[in-house]
Amino acid sequence: ADNYLLDAPLAAACAEDVEQHCAGVVPGQGRVHECLRDNSAKLTAECKLAEVAAEAEEVEDIRLKPQLLEACEVAGAELCTGIKPGNGRLLECLLGKVEAPEMGEGC
């Protein structure tokens, strides 16, 4: 999700971990999730489990990965016209066209 605070169970499970490992990270654009995942070896079991669950949801819907969605917005519009986001459809389309010249460098 864009902001980990919008996921109440995750925010509760990871409050101490965020404070300890990601205190300087400004929430939004998936930055706290990225920080937690970068520090996964140091996370409490409860937080690690919550992050794994959140990541499993993100795999199904690119809209839950704000940085990737932003980086691939143009490529998605050009290469995957008519593909409805959700259930991994848009991500699968983009992965299938990774060699296309329209694919942006960040995507």
Side-chain angles (χ1 to χ4, degrees), residues 4 11 13-25 32 35-36 38-45 47:
Y4 87 103
C14 296
E16 288 180 29
D17 295 278
V18 170
E19 189 176 310
Q20 187 171 10
H21 306 294
C22 306
V25 177
V32 173
C35 176
L36 289 171
D38 287 347
N39 289 284
S40 63
K42 303 172 193 172
L43 300 180
T44 61
C47 180

